[in-house]
Amino acid sequence: MAVFSTNEFKGGLKVMLDGDPCSIIENEFVKPGKGQAFNRVKLRNLKTGRVIERTFKSGDTIEGADVVDMEMQYLYNDGTEWHFMQPESFEQYVADANAVADAKKWLKEQDVCIVTLYNGQPLSVQPPNFVILKIVETDPGVRGDTSGGGGKPATLETGAVVRVPLFVQTDEVIKVDTRTGEYLSRVKE
Amino acid sequence: MSRSETTADWQPACARSALIARAELNARIRRFFAERGVLEVETPQLSRRTGTDPNLQPFLTHFHRPGEASAEGQPLYLQTSPEFAMKRLLAAGSGSIYQICKAYRNEECGRQHNPEFTILEWYRVGFGLTELMDEVEDLLTDLARPTLKLGASERLPYRAIFAEHVGADPLSASLEELAVCAETHGIEDARRLCGSERSCWLDLLFSLLVQPRLGEERISFVYDYPALLPSLARHKPGEPDVVERVEVFLAGVELGNGFHELSDPLEQERRFDADLAIRRAQGPNEPEKDERLLGALRAGLPDCCGIALGLDRILMLITGAESLDAVLAFPLERA
């Protein structure tokens, strides 16, 4: 694997730190005018999601991590694991609950996700930014109220719960932003 | 750097308002020093010698006389600051002087660093550090006035402010105690980075734990530096552990470094030699000591204080910019 020097550190670079793959968030060059130069580096541990801050001396090197992001189609959940397919090669990958984490509540069969592979194994799954899902349960709303004010919880077919306007009913299909978990609009089927 | 896909690279990185702010800044500085009878000077940017500070990496180029293109050429350094040449002027009887010029430092680049940057450097004959701090405060308050309202400055001895934020005395604490402080504050890498090098420990802990807390809506001066971070400051009379050095901070940003200037040629030569010994250990690139500076000191440098301020950083702070790129017409990426 490639080795990277502090001058190559930039947002998005994947490196190994303490045995875990990490993604660099930010690299700040710190140097007193008459003193030694350091690099203050913010990284996200890709296994735990935790953000850590570390310091390097300018010129220090760290090993790159074999981490790649790949677009994959979500196929199905077999009860314990989630199955994805790389659409060009038809190669299938199996992700465990750890890797799927919070993304699982947005996963609908056929949708295209970004699967992060570490040494060829799914490490994390990023759902599409926007998903279109059916409401399976929500309280009946107040007839004629189209203000959208207030809102109520609605359970979606994938299990996610989002706040929707009062006029939105069970069995309707809605568009949701998975990054914020916010309802965007109704969708006509 | 914010760069939309449609913006071509030829355009300046900064807004026109930043160009205007810079012109205004330069005009105010010149007015300030004219009113105080400080003489504006120019010194070479290309010089046969340069500073020996192991933490400053100069750019080296070669001069070819007409018709000498094939020869090896005369090595010339781009100056990391105009300090040595200005001290030669002082020794020759210039009186108090200032200069606005470019300075060049290799291996430096980041949100607050560009390898070429603008320095305001000045020397005041007969000033002590207190008078120098007064003048820096007057100048910065004047420069900031259009946009920033600064309260009265704070003046903090290095030892006290270090102890307050780090939790140990920088001069007497053992390295083990400093290591424990670093761990307490979540700096995991300190031992690996600094080992048994005390100056590294002080630089690291000061940079990460003290500096970010300095200069909240007022100028913070930190003075009386440990003697192991002497640069070109003279020793404080009666306190062998301390040198008469001051640093200026605003909004957590280091703006400049000033000294009660070392005038003893023997001590200056000892520091050159100590720097060069460190450089020899680091690698082959070894500048020679500036004999002309030593000659000037032997002839006699008047008792004086001097300071260099980074004008790009000052401009960044008074215009509310997040990085130097926002106040430079063409930062490195576009130069």
Side-chain angles (χ1 to χ4, degrees):
Chain A
M1 201 63 208
V3 165
F4 297 99
S5 160
T6 50
N7 64 21
E8 298 168 285
F9 289 6
K10 56 173 196 277
L13 185 70
K14 310 290 196 297
V15 294
M16 293 300 294
L17 197 67
D18 304 333
D20 278 351
C22 293
S23 176
I24 291 179
I25 301 169
E26 203 178 85
N27 172 25
E28 175 101 354
F29 179 74
V30 178
K31 185 183 187 303
K34 302 282 179 182
Q36 311 206 16
F38 303 104
N39 287 70
R40 193 77 173 137
V41 182
K42 245 188 217 159
L43 312 102
R44 185 185 307 281
N45 182 317
L46 293 173
K47 272 190 173 163
T48 64
R50 216 163 63 88
V51 173
I52 41 184
E53 248 188 302
R54 297 293 290 268
T55 311
F56 298 89
K57 251 187 190 165
S58 281
D60 279 355
T61 56
I62 37 179
E63 206 185 317
D66 180 14
V67 170
V68 282
D69 290 338
M70 224 180 246
E71 281 198 347
M72 289 193 204
Q73 196 172 45
Y74 169 56
L75 297 179
Y76 64 95
N77 168 243
D78 64 14
T80 52
E81 289 175 315
W82 286 257
H83 295 253
F84 295 84
M85 183 181 71
Q86 213 272 323
E88 282 91 48
S89 66
F90 302 109
E91 201 168 337
Q92 292 196 18
Y93 293 85
V94 181
D96 62 16
N98 244 344
V100 174
D102 276 353
K104 65 170 174 272
K105 67 180 180 189
W106 304 115
L107 291 182
K108 189 182 168 191
E109 289 165 14
Q110 316 302 325
D111 275 359
V112 174
C113 307
I114 293 171
V115 177
T116 302
L117 296 177
Y118 168 50
N119 292 338
Q121 296 295 317
L123 180 69
S124 64
V125 174
Q126 195 188 321
N129 289 344
F130 304 105
V131 289
I132 290 169
L133 297 170
K134 190 184 225 175
I135 296 174
V136 292
E137 196 193 339
T138 188
D139 287 341
V142 185
R143 180 183 290 272
D145 182 351
T146 55
S147 69
K152 59 184 180 178
T155 307
L156 309 180
E157 57 182 310
T158 53
V161 177
V162 297
R163 285 198 79 75
V164 298
L166 295 175
F167 59 81
V168 177
Q169 306 298 339
T170 302
D171 286 338
E172 282 192 285
V173 177
I174 61 168
K175 184 176 181 184
V176 181
D177 186 331
T178 61
R179 293 163 296 184
T180 57
E182 275 173 16
Y183 161 93
L184 294 174
S185 64
R186 283 195 287 190
V187 177
K188 293 224 164 58
E189 269 189 300
Chain B
M1 193 191 318
S2 69
R3 194 191 313 185
S4 76
E5 286 171 7
T6 52
T7 307
D9 253 3
W10 66 267
Q11 289 183 319
C14 73
R16 187 164 178 275
S17 59
L19 301 179
I20 295 168
R22 182 182 291 272
E24 172 68 14
L25 187 80
N26 288 345
R28 277 171 178 264
I29 291 167
R30 292 198 159 96
R31 203 154 56 226
F32 180 90
F33 285 113
E35 280 165 8
R36 291 173 180 230
V38 181
L39 183 69
E40 180 167 11
V41 296
E42 277 190 14
T43 56
Q45 311 242 306
L46 286 169
S47 182
R48 286 175 181 75
R49 296 289 181 266
T50 185
T52 52
D53 188 327
N55 293 315
L56 293 181
Q57 306 311 330
F59 283 89
L60 176 61
T61 185
H62 289 83
F63 170 59
H64 303 278
R65 289 178 193 284
E68 263 191 358
S70 58
E72 203 171 280
Q74 164 79 57
L76 291 173
Y77 293 97
L78 282 164
Q79 296 302 288
T80 55
S81 89
E83 178 157 8
F84 292 178
M86 290 181 81
K87 283 180 174 169
R88 285 162 60 191
L89 290 178
L90 288 157
S94 65
S96 295
I97 49 176
Y98 80 98
Q99 170 160 217
I100 296 172
C101 66
K102 285 285 184 126
Y104 305 83
R105 294 181 184 178
N106 213 339
E107 300 179 26
E108 297 190 12
C109 200
R111 213 162 52 84
Q112 295 178 12
H113 294 81
N114 195 60
E116 73 171 279
F117 61 103
T118 306
I119 267 185
L120 163 64
E121 180 149 331
W122 78 97
Y123 292 84
R124 286 297 234 144
V125 175
F127 270 31
L129 271 196
T130 305
E131 292 151 295
L132 182 70
M133 285 190 259
D134 290 343
E135 188 156 89
V136 172
E137 180 171 354
D138 289 347
L139 174 67
L140 287 179
T141 306
D142 182 46
L143 297 181
R145 188 171 293 128
T147 52
L148 295 181
K149 191 119 193 80
L150 299 181
S153 71
E154 58 179 356
R155 300 180 183 195
L156 313 156
Y158 184 100
R159 273 182 101 155
I161 194 69
F162 188 97
E164 181 182 332
H165 293 300
V166 176
D169 183 79
L171 300 183
S172 65
S174 68
L175 296 185
E176 186 50 38
E177 285 173 75
L178 294 177
V180 170
C181 290
E183 273 157 26
T184 310
H185 288 96
I187 304 169
E188 296 175 39
D189 312 274
R191 278 179 212 268
R192 176 179 63 80
L193 293 172
C194 296
S196 61
E197 203 188 327
R198 182 178 285 267
S199 64
C200 177
W201 282 97
L202 298 189
D203 281 342
L204 180 70
L205 294 171
F206 190 93
S207 296
L208 299 186
L209 300 178
V210 184
Q211 187 178 327
R213 324 276 273 277
L214 297 174
E216 285 270 346
E217 290 175 2
R218 59 177 162 178
I219 300 153
S220 294
F221 291 98
V222 176
Y223 66 96
D224 282 0
Y225 268 63
L228 72 153
L229 307 173
S231 204
L232 300 177
R234 63 170 73 185
H235 283 280
K236 193 169 185 184
E239 289 187 52
D241 288 345
V242 171
V243 289
E244 292 189 82
R245 171 178 166 192
V246 61
E247 286 229 33
V248 189
F249 300 90
L250 183 58
V253 177
E254 181 195 18
L255 292 184
N257 209 325
F259 311 121
H260 193 173
E261 299 294 344
L262 180 63
S263 60
D264 175 354
L266 297 174
E267 172 69 15
Q268 177 69 63
E269 189 157 17
R270 272 197 293 276
R271 291 193 197 173
F272 275 159
D273 290 335
D275 282 351
L276 293 176
I278 295 172
R279 281 187 169 272
R280 263 194 299 278
Q282 285 172 347
N285 174 21
E286 186 192 325
E288 293 172 61
K289 50 192 165 190
D290 190 339
E291 292 291 350
R292 290 192 170 108
L293 173 69
L294 293 172
L297 298 187
R298 278 181 213 116
L301 183 73
D303 188 44
C304 65
C305 276
I307 189 161
L309 299 180
L311 285 191
D312 307 309
R313 289 190 187 165
I314 292 173
L315 203 55
M316 175 180 93
L317 294 180
I318 64 183
T319 59
E322 289 290 316
S323 86
L324 282 191
D325 285 2
V327 296
L328 298 175
F330 302 111
L332 181 66
E333 306 305 328
R334 296 191 186 203

